[in-house]
Amino acid sequence: MAGNKPHVLAVGVPGLGHLKPLMSLCRQIAKQGIKVTFVNPQTIHDKIVAAAKLSPEEEGSMVLTSIPDGLKPDDDPNDPFVLFETLPRTMPETLPDLIEKINSSNPNEKISCVIADLSFGWVLDIVEMMGVEPVGFTPLSIASFSMILHIPKLVQQGNLDANGTLKKIDLVSLSYDIPAWRKDELPWRIPNDLKSQKIIFECLKSYQAANKTKWVLWNSCYELEPAASDLHPNFFPVGPLHLRETDTDKWNSNSINFYAEDASCLSWLDAKPAGSVLYISFGSLATYSQQQLDELALGLELSGRAFLWVVRVDLANGSRAVYPDGFLERVREFGRVVEWAPQTRVLSHPAIGCFMSHGGWNSTLEGVSRGVPYLCWPYFAEQTHNESYICDKWKAGLRINCDENGMRSRDEIKKKIDLIFSDDKFKKNVSKVKEICAKSINEGGSSYDNLKALIDHIRKCGK
């Protein structure tokens, strides 16, 4: 039996691109006075708490907690994919134990609903057997989600092998109004890493739990992806979730990081003219060769454009990047390099005129919803398809193309920087997308109504 008061347990997967939007959703639920417990594996929990420099618990409706991560002594805790192997083995036991512990500690606030990232869709089967309402969540675009749900049909047709490699056909099209997927654009593709690709491909099969769940939530909005949304009329877009956040909310999505933010870049931006700065960030997972980073640095220098560049400590294939001789000295008048930035605040700053990004769905939404044009540099997974949305569907940005050696050259980088800042059409087009996103989350918008329906349903689960 559910308790007298509704209590939501949120189960994310170990990646910032997944955790941030789920945390945004949970904040909105907690703001309605509904208790939310957000659970992470211990390794991820420790990173988040350390980066945020906050207590893991908050007075009120939001609590962060952890479960064992199942790592063995020889497992690398910094490998972004190792937890995708360990958690499916350990969570079927540790998660029910956590729920029982929570329920016994406060019988009037038993877990009545579990919201789980569909990358771990098997969690929904576990909690349903415990008599708890299951709700699925995905941080991906609706189009990428649809492609993942199409996996069984592609396998049945013999068009996908066990590694998730496309056979026989060169394109997959789900709708005339959705950009098609090429072989190198599949949502689970990881270039030059077949082992990790297979891990993620197997993990994504758990998305089929969406077909058995009454409530499936997307971090997108109907108006942004109408053709993809129409493929799933019974699911609920509730995004862009980050637009509902305020910087004063403790444990908002901005506080969920694996790295400490360098907020000093905001005062640096204050001194720059409106729309003059290029912001460069490739998220928390992408890594590049030192040669490619040299080309990027020299391309930025050649452009002469003011830039703010996020260079993680592991950006150079897991190591600290080395800059071309004299680079930092030569660009010090117009360039700023930080290890991690408060991205949503940066993208909201009037000085930002363009976002060069890997194009993960979170970064895509964070940029276009603030009216910032894009320079697209996809790394893996669904990011190339997001690039198709940005460049072909919305016409809000440009691709930075690779040469015959797979390198994005300094000349190509400079060329695209010059083009994006010199043509007003990109700003005009992305402003239309910004308006669509804003309308969706405001009263009367589709995402607003869907979130309200979810909260009403959660309240009923607690009775």
Coordinates of all heavy atoms in Angstrom, one line a residue, residues 3 29 192 203 224 248 269 289 294 333 367 392 419 428:
G3 N 1.8 5.1 0.9 CA 1.7 5.9 2.1 C 0.6 7.0 2.0 O 0.0 7.2 0.9
I29 N 8.7 18.7 -9.4 CA 7.8 17.9 -8.5 C 7.9 18.3 -7.1 O 6.9 18.5 -6.4 CB 8.1 16.4 -8.7 CG1 7.8 16.0 -10.2 CG2 7.3 15.6 -7.8 CD1 8.3 14.6 -10.5
N192 N 35.1 4.0 -33.2 CA 36.4 3.4 -32.9 C 36.3 2.7 -31.5 O 37.4 2.6 -30.8 CB 37.5 4.4 -32.9 CG 37.6 5.1 -34.3 OD1 37.5 4.5 -35.3 ND2 37.7 6.4 -34.2
C203 N 22.2 -1.8 -23.5 CA 21.5 -1.0 -22.5 C 20.3 -0.4 -23.1 O 19.2 -0.4 -22.4 CB 22.5 0.1 -22.0 SG 21.7 1.1 -20.7
L224 N 8.3 21.4 -30.9 CA 9.7 21.3 -31.4 C 9.9 20.1 -32.3 O 10.6 20.2 -33.2 CB 10.6 21.3 -30.2 CG 12.1 21.7 -30.5 CD1 12.2 23.1 -31.1 CD2 12.9 21.6 -29.2
T248 N 18.4 30.2 -7.7 CA 18.2 30.1 -6.3 C 17.8 28.8 -5.8 O 17.8 28.5 -4.6 CB 17.2 31.2 -5.8 OG1 16.0 31.0 -6.5 CG2 17.7 32.6 -6.2
L269 N 32.6 37.9 -19.1 CA 31.6 38.2 -20.2 C 30.9 39.6 -20.0 O 30.5 40.2 -21.0 CB 30.5 37.1 -20.2 CG 30.9 35.7 -20.7 CD1 29.8 34.7 -20.4 CD2 31.2 35.7 -22.2
S289 N 41.9 14.1 -29.9 CA 43.3 14.0 -30.0 C 44.0 15.4 -29.7 O 43.4 16.4 -30.0 CB 43.7 13.5 -31.4 OG 43.5 14.5 -32.4
D294 N 44.8 21.2 -31.1 CA 45.7 22.2 -31.6 C 45.0 22.9 -32.8 O 45.1 24.2 -32.9 CB 47.0 21.5 -32.1 CG 47.9 21.1 -31.0 OD1 47.7 21.5 -29.9 OD2 48.9 20.3 -31.3
E333 N 44.0 38.7 -24.8 CA 43.2 39.9 -24.9 C 41.7 39.6 -25.3 O 40.8 40.4 -25.1 CB 43.8 40.9 -25.9 CG 45.1 41.5 -25.5 CD 45.1 42.2 -24.2 OE1 44.1 42.9 -23.9 OE2 46.0 42.2 -23.4
G367 N 21.0 25.8 -25.7 CA 21.4 26.8 -26.7 C 20.2 27.4 -27.4 O 20.0 28.6 -27.4
D392 N 19.6 21.5 -40.5 CA 18.7 21.2 -41.7 C 17.2 21.5 -41.4 O 16.5 22.1 -42.2 CB 18.8 19.8 -42.1 CG 20.2 19.4 -42.4 OD1 21.0 20.2 -42.9 OD2 20.6 18.2 -42.2
L419 N 31.3 32.8 -40.8 CA 30.0 32.8 -41.4 C 28.9 32.9 -40.4 O 27.9 33.6 -40.6 CB 29.9 31.4 -42.1 CG 30.5 31.3 -43.5 CD1 30.4 29.8 -44.0 CD2 29.8 32.2 -44.5
K428 N 18.0 34.8 -36.5 CA 16.5 35.0 -36.7 C 15.8 33.6 -36.6 O 14.8 33.4 -36.0 CB 16.2 35.6 -38.1 CG 16.6 37.1 -38.2 CD 16.4 37.6 -39.6 CE 16.8 39.1 -39.7 NZ 16.6 39.6 -41.1

